[in-house]
Amino acid sequence: MFSKYRKAAPGKSEPKTANNVTKMPVKSDAPASGEAPADDDAPISLRRPMPKKVSAAAGPADKERKRKERMGELKLELHRSLLDNLNLAALENASEADLKAEIADISGEVLGEKGVVLNREDRTTLIQELFDEVKGLGPLESLLKDETVNDILVNGPQQVFVERAGKLMLSDVTFKDEKHLLRIIDKIVSAVGRRVDESNPYVDARLADGSRFNAMVPPIAVDGSLVSIRKFKKDKLGIDDLVKFGAFTEEMAAYLQAAVATRLNVIVSGGTGSGKTTTLNALSSFIDDAERILTIEDTAELQLQQTHVGRMESRPPNVEGKGEVSPRDCLKNALRMRPDRIIVGETRGEEVIDMLQAMNTGHDGSMTTIHANNPRDGISRLENMIAMAGIEMPIKAVRSQISSAVNLIVQASRLQDGSRRMTSITEVTGMEGDVISMQEIFRYQRVGLTPDNRIIGHFTATGVRSHFSERFRLWGYDLPPTIFEPFAAE
């Protein structure tokens, strides 16, 4: 019976068939008369006469490479047949099982006409890959489903890297060619109303599951399109999880709980991929459920568990250059919405002025992240962002604003072995002349390196008592003095 997912032939309700099998214009590679049919258990076999001689130099790796090339060519031809025969409009509401059955049906017809025999494993893999091409993101789909992958980095059609456990490694995923990669990019950006081409060669977007997507295409990307995907973590890591993974200690967690609960203004500093957002998510668990929280992000990643949370996401300009809503616009509007705390996913521009003013004008307990290598650099980054915003203020006034707004800087780092650690917790204590005074409370002390390049180190307190100890006590968080004593190395 003719499937509702097939396109009808022009002027007729059903396509031309022979014995109710759809005919498609596919070049035949059927076997010559007298040849034996291919073995169903063979990984892939084209019914062609065997060559008289097989090169002795063709090893297993070369055979596997040629097999993949033939499978890639076959998948490309089957995909074209699917586009010619599937009614894409009817597929919007089709279930995965129905669509896979239709793909299997059309693929079987094409393979039969070409005389290609696949074993069960290869046929199942091929149908899944074709399904990913039609409904998903093609070769990227398997990586997006892999829970061990944190980042996907594409350097042209033949080179796809992934990050697992903090380490980059080359995957076996490839695209057919640059056109194939561009088609997947266009599929992603068109779903969110964006476009990318020569006149607009870069784009920032968010996938349906919340993952961050960035792409840059030729001619700006010289050797092929560049794509990076930061996968959205569905399972939020809590404080206990981070302590168990060795990101910091229980003593540091107790201090951070007191700092967040007593509404200190916190900045999480770190490099790309160091775990800033994960740390911010974990710290937010210490906020009282009765408080009203407003979050502002470029790409919504924060996963706050409180009841009263208002989430905002900035918006870039459209193709006509209009309709932009900047983080600063969101922040200005948030100040009119009676927040108890404001959390900015990342401060990177002129919104720093409004963020510092919010921290200074009754919105204690606000938090944000910045890119910096250490707490002192974080302060310098804030000064630079104020300068880039075009605000003409004496440097002493700028530093006075920062020192009165920021109470705590938490430094997150990704170390050379891929591990992520909270390498410093530093308090901002005020001004000494023209210099912002700071004191480090906890740090990660590196000791050495194992033969397999794993970092040896331990967390320790510096021996300096917290500047906010009295504040903690008045709020009911009387931390024991021993928490600030240097820890013994394990």
Side-chain angles (χ1 to χ4, degrees):
M1 186 175 180
F2 176 60
S3 169
K4 64 180 178 180
Y5 302 120
R6 302 265 189 124
K7 292 179 181 177
K12 296 186 179 182
S13 60
E14 294 192 0
K16 296 178 181 180
T17 60
N19 297 327
N20 205 31
V21 176
T22 306
K23 297 294 185 181
M24 280 162 278
V26 180
K27 183 179 177 181
S28 174
D29 285 321
S33 176
E35 280 186 52
D39 183 2
D40 284 347
D41 290 330
I44 179 170
S45 173
L46 300 180
R47 297 184 183 181
R48 294 174 179 166
M50 290 293 292
K52 295 181 180 179
K53 294 182 179 181
V54 178
S55 173
D62 189 52
K63 290 179 180 178
E64 180 64 19
R65 179 183 59 79
K66 290 182 179 179
R67 174 184 172 277
K68 286 185 177 180
E69 288 178 356
R70 287 159 58 192
M71 284 290 285
E73 293 171 0
L74 186 62
K75 186 174 77 171
L76 182 62
E77 188 163 353
L78 287 171
H79 185 249
R80 288 171 181 161
S81 297
L82 291 174
L83 294 178
D84 290 339
N85 289 274
L86 287 174
N87 181 359
L88 298 181
L91 296 179
E92 292 297 325
N93 299 320
S95 67
E96 180 175 340
D98 288 344
L99 181 53
K100 282 186 176 180
E102 194 62 42
I103 290 173
D105 189 30
I106 295 176
S107 300
E109 295 168 8
V110 177
L111 294 175
E113 291 186 357
K114 290 183 67 64
V116 177
V117 178
L118 300 178
N119 64 23
R120 182 176 299 175
E121 181 182 352
D122 282 338
R123 183 181 291 271
T124 301
T125 301
L126 187 61
I127 291 172
Q128 181 62 50
E129 290 178 352
L130 289 170
F131 174 83
D132 291 339
E133 289 287 346
V134 174
K135 291 288 283 185
L137 301 180
L140 298 177
E141 198 68 30
S142 61
L143 299 179
L144 289 169
K145 294 176 181 176
D146 188 343
E147 295 295 333
T148 65
V149 172
N150 298 319
D151 290 271
I152 304 170
L153 306 169
V154 181
N155 302 334
Q158 300 301 317
Q159 199 176 64
V160 180
F161 284 86
V162 297
E163 184 201 281
R164 287 188 174 94
K167 286 289 188 179
L168 285 177
M169 56 191 71
L170 183 65
S171 73
D172 58 358
V173 171
T174 59
F175 294 82
K176 173 66 178 175
D177 50 30
E178 179 65 17
K179 289 183 179 179
H180 185 196
L181 175 54
L182 285 171
R183 181 167 55 80
I184 297 299
I185 293 173
D186 186 65
K187 189 173 186 179
I188 293 171
V189 299
S190 60
V192 293
R194 306 289 302 282
R195 68 165 185 161
V196 59
D197 50 34
E198 288 189 7
S199 62
N200 185 43
Y202 57 89
V203 66
D204 202 24
R206 179 159 55 93
L207 303 184
D209 66 352
S211 299
R212 292 169 58 181
F213 172 87
N214 182 274
M216 185 170 283
V217 301
I220 305 302
V222 178
D223 299 319
S225 297
L226 300 174
V227 175
S228 63
I229 299 176
R230 170 68 56 84
K231 288 178 62 177
F232 181 76
K233 290 291 185 182
K234 297 178 178 63
D235 298 326
K236 183 174 72 72
L237 294 177
I239 290 290
D240 293 338
D241 297 317
L242 295 178
V243 170
K244 183 175 66 174
F245 295 151
F248 47 87
T249 64
E250 293 182 0
E251 291 84 358
M252 296 165 72
Y255 172 86
L256 291 171
Q257 180 178 11
V260 174
T262 59
R263 299 174 67 88
L264 295 184
N265 293 321
V266 180
I267 289 181
V268 180
S269 168
T272 301
S274 59
K276 297 187 301 298
T277 302
T278 300
T279 302
L280 197 61
N281 267 326
L283 294 180
S284 69
S285 65
F286 295 134
I287 299 175
D288 193 284
D289 195 53
E291 296 183 42
R292 173 171 168 79
I293 308 167
L294 295 180
T295 68
I296 300 164
E297 301 174 83
D298 280 333
T299 303
E301 291 182 290
L302 293 173
Q303 299 170 278
L304 274 61
Q305 303 302 308
Q306 283 74 14
T307 304
H308 206 160
V309 178
R311 304 172 71 205
M312 286 178 273
E313 188 177 63
S314 61
R315 185 179 68 187
N318 59 21
V319 293
E320 298 175 350
K322 300 178 180 179
E324 179 182 10
V325 179
S326 68
R328 188 172 189 183
D329 295 329
C330 294
L331 191 48
K332 286 180 177 178
N333 200 64
L335 295 174
R336 306 184 183 103
M337 300 174 70
R338 198 241 170 251
D340 289 313
R341 299 184 192 234
I342 297 175
I343 299 179
V344 179
E346 183 177 340
T347 301
R348 65 180 74 183
E350 59 184 12
E351 68 273 10
V352 66
I353 298 293
D354 302 283
M355 186 71 211
L356 293 174
Q357 288 179 345
M359 289 178 170
N360 270 325
T361 55
H363 301 93
D364 295 339
S366 295
M367 295 188 279
T368 187
T369 70
I370 60 172
H371 281 268
N373 294 325
N374 55 62
R376 180 61 69 177
D377 283 353
I379 294 295
S380 298
R381 279 273 295 154
L382 293 175
E383 295 176 10
N384 292 337
M385 283 188 279
I386 293 173
M388 289 188 293
I391 306 297
E392 296 184 4
M393 293 174 60
I395 188 64
K396 185 172 183 178
V398 171
R399 290 175 177 173
S400 178
Q401 176 92 340
I402 293 172
S403 66
S404 61
V406 179
N407 303 125
L408 192 67
I409 300 178
V410 176
Q411 183 69 35
S413 300
R414 182 172 61 177
L415 306 182
Q416 66 193 62
D417 61 355
S419 61
R420 293 173 172 85
R421 298 283 186 269
M422 190 177 290
T423 53
S424 176
I425 297 178
T426 303
E427 296 177 345
V428 178
T429 58
M431 293 279 292
E432 291 183 3
D434 291 343
V435 179
I436 296 175
S437 58
M438 306 165 66
Q439 62 179 23
E440 190 174 43
I441 306 300
F442 299 95
R443 70 163 66 106
Y444 180 72
Q445 189 73 47
R446 291 180 57 166
V447 177
L449 208 62
T450 65
D452 60 347
N453 291 323
R454 303 289 295 179
I455 289 177
I456 303 172
H458 63 275
F459 295 98
T460 181
T462 61
V464 178
R465 186 176 176 83
S466 173
H467 178 73
F468 303 103
S469 293
E470 183 62 18
R471 181 188 180 105
F472 295 161
R473 187 185 66 80
L474 293 175
W475 285 65
Y477 291 88
D478 195 6
L479 299 179
T482 54
I483 203 172
F484 302 111
E485 296 176 359
F487 309 153
E490 295 181 359

